[in-house]
Amino acid sequence: MQELKESSRRFQEAVGKLGFRIQVKQMEKSTRTAIQAAEAVGCSTGQIVKSLLFQGKRSRNPYLALVSGVNRVDPKRLEELVGEPVAMADPEFVRQVTGFAIGGVPPAGHNREIATFIDRDLLGHRVLWAAAGTPSSMFAIGSEELVALTGGRVAVIKS
Ligand code: 5CA
């Protein structure tokens, strides 16, 4: 087994502190996109959890959308849930708030707590795979466990 990179170890430790034991898989190939990730781990693209950071235009607060690899977020739905206009977070804000760079942002274990919304379609899969801190590492998690780990609100957020 390949050694984990610093960001993956940091992620694993952070979720460990939350009381969750997850096993990070360091992949040989890139898992930067949902399609690549699904290919690398051998699951369907729908089972991939994309972790997309948004930012409130008024509050500047971060909002995290966890979305199935086959779906896109409808910002209007997110806006209804958070009560303000939102924009995609820029890469610097993503790194600052989550502690991870785009392409490897995990769904939990961030620098600070982030209000989180979970695409309801993810609950249609027993096992999900999400980024583990780098663009070449993933971990498996049950859908109910993802809800517990992130404290996210399950909602219709896809377009
Ligand atoms: N490791 C994969 C599969 S889990 C992964 O992290 N996919 S992801 O979808 O969660 O993260 C990539 C997403 O980051 C892209 O879909 C896109 O929404 C966003 N993104 C990419 N480039 C930028 C950018 N320059 N600014 C803001 N967001 C970006």
Side-chain angles (χ1 to χ4, degrees), residues 6 15-16 31 71 87 90 92 95 103 120 136 139 143 149 152 159:
E6 190 272 335
V15 295
T31 56
N71 290 341
D90 66 58
E92 184 48 39
R95 188 184 275 280
R120 200 177 65 181
S136 62
F139 71 102
S143 48
L149 171 67
S159 56

Side-chain angles (χ1 to χ4, degrees), residues 31-34 37 48-52 88-89 91 102-105 130-131 138:
T31 56
R32 184 172 289 280
T33 69
I48 299 296
V49 181
K50 296 190 287 190
S51 302
L52 307 177
M88 266 328 262
I102 285 171
V105 177
M138 302 291 292

Side-chain angles (χ1 to χ4, degrees), residues 3-127:
E3 224 179 87
L4 297 187
K5 299 202 166 66
E6 190 272 335
S7 295
S8 287
R9 268 192 282 115
R10 188 153 47 84
F11 164 68
Q12 200 165 35
E13 272 174 34
V15 295
K17 282 188 186 141
L18 297 172
F20 290 80
R21 190 152 299 184
I22 56 110
Q23 196 184 355
V24 174
K25 274 201 158 182
Q26 174 60 45
M27 312 307 294
E28 305 261 334
K29 291 186 187 155
S30 170
T31 56
R32 184 172 289 280
T33 69
I35 291 170
Q36 288 175 328
E39 241 173 54
V41 302
C43 70
S44 70
T45 310
Q47 284 171 273
I48 299 296
V49 181
K50 296 190 287 190
S51 302
L52 307 177
L53 197 72
F54 288 79
Q55 186 174 25
K57 287 186 181 171
R58 283 202 288 266
S59 67
R60 315 310 293 170
N61 286 340
Y63 302 113
L64 184 67
L66 304 182
V67 193
S68 166
V70 291
N71 290 341
R72 294 180 66 85
V73 175
D74 180 349
K76 291 212 172 59
R77 291 193 193 270
L78 198 57
E79 288 174 353
E80 275 171 26
L81 289 163
V82 303
E84 66 171 321
V86 300
M88 266 328 262
D90 66 58
E92 184 48 39
F93 188 63
V94 172
R95 188 184 275 280
Q96 185 194 322
V97 169
T98 69
F100 302 92
I102 285 171
V105 177
H110 306 126
N111 278 345
R112 52 182 271 198
E113 269 196 32
I114 311 174
T116 300
F117 300 88
I118 302 176
D119 176 3
R120 200 177 65 181
D121 287 0
L122 285 172
L123 281 273
H125 302 277
R126 202 172 56 79
V127 176

